[in-house]
Amino acid sequence: MDSIHDSLKTPSLRHKCSACYKQYKKKEHLIEHMRVSYHSVHQPRCGVCLKHCKSFESLREHLMGPLSKSNCSKIFSEQGCGLCLRVLDGPETLSEHQDICCITAPVHQGTSLPPTDLSDCYEEDRSDRGLGAIAMDCVMAGGGSDGALDICVWICLVDEDEKLIFNTFVQPQIPITNYRHEVTGLKEEHMRYAMPLKNVQEKVLKLLLNGESIGKLRSNGGKAKLLVGHDLEHDLDCLRMNYPDHMLRDTARYHPLMKTNLVSHSLKYLTRAYLGYDIRQDGHDPYENCVSVMRLYKRMRSLDHRRQVMTLSVTPSCIQYVAPNLDSHSAKDLEKMTPDELYEMSRTNFKCWCHDSRRVMQT
């Protein structure tokens, strides 16, 4: 009788996350999960089941990996784009989309790329189109007794239209002991035309500031440009330059483009996976890298995410809009919320680049 009675018991209530669909026996465990998962509308999502993923890599595994969900995998194989991971309405729409999504590789330039300096005449007003951006890439030679010390000897900058706006060799601050010719294509003769590092720093900063003051740059940026690149911290360090963190867009540090364990992918992998072409077939081409990181940035920026609800917060010094979050509610209030309401309170732990496409409000 006891066994029959037990079999008729109502199944225990499970608390299911509205974003990733994980289930928990206790509501408090779901709440803790929401605190550490940082679910939001800005995370990559499956176009079939709408499950949230930490990165595009984990979404790719969900759709195409060895342990992919059968229903999602079947639909994606017929209607999904392998580059942007979108699910289209049908095969015909998919074919049209792929013609646009798969981009042709930029023309390889190498050391034949002419010296270019538009720092004295380049100025762009994008006040009605959101924040403008400039992509940068540096080529490193080797210094030190073993040639392992990175020295910036070549720098390239392009704008959003893939127009070359600055390109020059850079005078090394210490002797070069390894030109790394197989990768860089550089020889000692190229350094005859190199620009002093101080001049390079001034010209790069002038292009980035775009006529804006340093004070404005440190607050909301104003007309200043965002700096796009791959592993920008390393490039800026080798250039002995600083640029505000809130003005950097680094494809090596952007959470959706990183591995699930938040380790960076190479630019070569990102270009092949998300743009559909290979780079660095004949060494390190800074123009090719600049164009590729700009394309990656613009693809991420163009993603259309639903806006999160904001509330007005008034302080003695300013008025600002703040998004309510889990920390703004007591444990008792959170216990009363449904999984959907908890999701609405959850906030991402990275700044989504989709915000860059919106018009910057002038203060």
Side-chain angles (χ1 to χ4, degrees), residues 288-352:
E288 184 180 42
N289 285 8
C290 280
V291 171
S292 297
V293 294
M294 181 61 79
R295 290 174 176 180
L296 283 167
Y297 166 70
K298 289 169 68 176
R299 180 154 290 184
M300 294 296 107
R301 185 183 66 181
S302 67
L303 296 176
D304 186 18
H305 299 137
R306 178 170 56 86
R307 291 174 183 263
Q308 292 178 318
V309 178
M310 310 290 274
T311 58
L312 185 64
S313 173
V314 182
T315 65
S317 58
C318 65
I319 298 176
Q320 59 182 343
Y321 286 91
V322 180
N325 55 55
L326 294 169
D327 293 331
S328 62
H329 293 269
S330 67
K332 187 176 180 179
D333 289 338
L334 293 175
E335 284 282 350
K336 296 177 182 178
M337 291 184 183
T338 65
D340 287 345
E341 289 171 335
L342 289 172
Y343 170 69
E344 289 297 326
M345 293 293 106
S346 180
R347 295 290 173 259
T348 182
N349 60 341
F350 67 93
K351 181 179 180 181
C352 184

Side-chain angles (χ1 to χ4, degrees), residues 226-273:
L226 299 169
L227 180 58
V228 180
H230 191 80
D231 197 7
L232 281 170
E233 182 179 357
H234 179 249
D235 284 355
L236 289 171
D237 184 56
C238 291
L239 286 168
R240 302 182 183 181
M241 289 184 64
N242 293 304
Y243 203 59
D245 288 345
H246 70 278
M247 299 294 289
L248 301 180
R249 300 295 182 264
D250 195 336
T251 55
R253 300 288 181 266
Y254 190 51
H255 284 200
L257 292 178
M258 299 175 78
K259 298 178 183 180
T260 305
N261 60 357
L262 294 183
V263 173
S264 302
H265 279 294
S266 67
L267 180 58
K268 183 170 185 174
Y269 170 85
L270 293 177
T271 303
R272 159 51 48 190

Side-chain angles (χ1 to χ4, degrees), residues 135-202:
M136 179 180 78
D137 186 62
C138 298
V139 176
M140 309 295 174
S145 58
D146 59 355
L149 184 65
D150 284 344
I151 307 171
C152 178
V153 291
W154 187 3
I155 183 173
C156 180
L157 275 70
V158 304
D159 65 11
E160 290 192 42
D161 297 321
E162 302 178 8
K163 176 183 178 182
L164 183 66
I165 57 176
F166 189 66
N167 178 65
T168 185
F169 299 124
V170 183
Q171 286 183 8
Q173 297 298 290
I174 61 175
I176 297 175
T177 55
N178 184 357
Y179 280 90
R180 304 173 182 173
H181 177 74
E182 295 78 8
V183 176
T184 66
L186 296 176
K187 298 180 180 179
E188 184 177 358
E189 61 194 57
H190 290 105
M191 293 299 103
R192 299 173 189 169
Y193 313 102
M195 183 181 293
L197 178 61
K198 183 178 180 180
N199 291 17
V200 171
Q201 294 168 338
E202 292 172 350

Side-chain angles (χ1 to χ4, degrees), residues 27-260:
K27 184 69 170 286
E28 62 190 80
H29 294 163
L30 171 61
I31 293 172
E32 183 58 29
H33 162 76
M34 297 304 294
R35 289 186 187 279
V36 300
S37 61
Y38 302 105
H39 289 315
S40 80
V41 296
H42 300 288
Q43 286 183 320
R45 285 192 291 179
C46 173
V48 182
C49 71
L50 303 183
K51 176 184 176 180
H52 289 52
C53 298
K54 288 184 178 180
S55 65
F56 282 105
E57 179 180 65
S58 58
L59 175 56
R60 195 180 297 274
E61 287 294 313
H62 171 79
L63 293 168
M64 298 183 287
L67 300 177
S68 60
K69 299 299 181 181
S70 58
N71 183 52
C72 297
S73 177
K74 182 178 184 300
I75 294 175
F76 185 81
S77 65
E78 299 170 353
Q79 301 172 218
C81 174
L83 296 177
C84 68
L85 305 183
R86 284 181 57 191
V87 176
L88 285 300
D89 295 334
E92 185 175 338
T93 308
L94 174 62
S95 179
E96 295 174 358
H97 167 82
Q98 288 176 326
D99 289 341
I100 301 173
C101 200
C102 187
I103 308 174
T104 304
V107 177
H108 181 74
Q109 300 289 339
T111 55
S112 63
L113 196 64
T116 305
D117 180 8
L118 301 184
S119 59
D120 291 327
C121 59
Y122 186 83
E123 185 170 344
E124 183 184 24
D125 182 7
R126 290 177 51 98
S127 58
D128 62 339
R129 291 189 287 158
L131 295 167
I134 287 176
M136 179 180 78
D137 186 62
C138 298
V139 176
M140 309 295 174
S145 58
D146 59 355
L149 184 65
D150 284 344
I151 307 171
C152 178
V153 291
W154 187 3
I155 183 173
C156 180
L157 275 70
V158 304
D159 65 11
E160 290 192 42
D161 297 321
E162 302 178 8
K163 176 183 178 182
L164 183 66
I165 57 176
F166 189 66
N167 178 65
T168 185
F169 299 124
V170 183
Q171 286 183 8
Q173 297 298 290
I174 61 175
I176 297 175
T177 55
N178 184 357
Y179 280 90
R180 304 173 182 173
H181 177 74
E182 295 78 8
V183 176
T184 66
L186 296 176
K187 298 180 180 179
E188 184 177 358
E189 61 194 57
H190 290 105
M191 293 299 103
R192 299 173 189 169
Y193 313 102
M195 183 181 293
L197 178 61
K198 183 178 180 180
N199 291 17
V200 171
Q201 294 168 338
E202 292 172 350
K203 290 177 180 295
V204 170
L205 188 59
K206 187 174 182 179
L207 285 165
L208 292 173
L209 287 175
N210 193 34
E212 195 57 86
S213 66
I214 292 290
K216 195 80 169 182
L217 171 67
R218 289 171 179 165
S219 56
N220 66 0
K223 294 190 300 179
K225 302 287 188 176
L226 299 169
L227 180 58
V228 180
H230 191 80
D231 197 7
L232 281 170
E233 182 179 357
H234 179 249
D235 284 355
L236 289 171
D237 184 56
C238 291
L239 286 168
R240 302 182 183 181
M241 289 184 64
N242 293 304
Y243 203 59
D245 288 345
H246 70 278
M247 299 294 289
L248 301 180
R249 300 295 182 264
D250 195 336
T251 55
R253 300 288 181 266
Y254 190 51
H255 284 200
L257 292 178
M258 299 175 78
K259 298 178 183 180
T260 305

